[in-house]
Amino acid sequence: MAKFERLRYDVTDIAIADAVCDIVNVADLEQLAPNDRVATRETDQATTYHKLFYDKFDQVWPLYRKLATTVLGARRQDFYIQKVPTFRVHLRNSVAVGTWHRDSDFGHDSSETNYWVPLTRAFGNNTLWIDNAPVDSEYGDIVVFDGANTWHGNKVNDTEISRVSMDFRTIPRSAYRDTGKRSVSAGVPFVLGEYWDIL
């Protein structure tokens, strides 16, 4: 059985999906067009939607910081936070992440914690799977899990909607060290000021 914690936040106060709709110029994230081929690990961050999100991240940044502050509360002094969250687009007929994995397989520290933030409905074969179990969620949920050490991934989306989400990680300040490693997709060094930030 998948091990995770589900938190909730107020989407009227922290309206991330609305900001993302504005950035990618759509009225409904669930209606993003199907893909014509299944994404791979090398292409799962290469859509036009990803480019728009990262190019215009300054429009999401205040909401992201507010969300992280709400989630971590007073404990934020004990952690570094991922500077820019990872954007995921699980288009119909495709996948959001090209391979099942543990984040530690790609250089992440084993003490990191993952926070998965769906911006649409997430269910069945369009959602995140942890340890071979689907994590059905909705906008306003935050799924907290040990992504560094737990198998997770997704399946080809055969539902009637596309799923959009973002995720971020924290690392205890006490565990932080410069390992010389970089993120697999963007090649960002896992160091403070690059991959990690102070909240």
Side-chain angles (χ1 to χ4, degrees), residues 55-164:
D55 285 352
K56 298 182 178 183
F57 178 67
D58 59 324
Q59 296 177 40
V60 177
W61 185 85
L63 295 168
Y64 169 54
R65 303 285 289 196
K66 188 173 185 178
L67 175 67
T69 300
T70 299
V71 170
L72 294 174
R75 298 181 309 125
R76 68 184 181 275
Q77 304 295 332
D78 300 327
F79 295 92
Y80 294 130
I81 185 171
Q82 188 172 335
K83 187 173 185 178
V84 177
T86 307
F87 187 57
R88 312 284 185 187
V89 179
H90 198 166
L91 299 174
R92 285 166 280 168
N93 304 328
S94 189
V95 293
V97 178
T99 185
W100 282 71
H101 64 283
R102 297 164 301 197
D103 289 359
S104 58
D105 297 336
F106 297 121
H108 286 267
D109 192 279
S110 62
S111 64
E112 294 177 23
T113 300
N114 292 49
Y115 296 78
W116 182 66
V117 185
L119 303 179
T120 61
R121 292 175 292 159
F123 57 90
N125 284 346
N126 79 17
T127 194
L128 168 71
W129 288 57
I130 302 174
D131 278 342
N132 292 316
V135 182
D136 290 356
S137 301
E138 60 186 33
Y139 183 37
D141 284 345
I142 302 173
V143 174
V144 186
F145 71 105
D146 181 12
N149 304 299
T150 304
W151 284 103
H152 59 284
N154 51 205
K155 299 190 175 186
V156 173
N157 181 0
D158 60 3
T159 73
E160 72 276 12
I161 67 168
S162 290
R163 182 262 292 175
V164 176

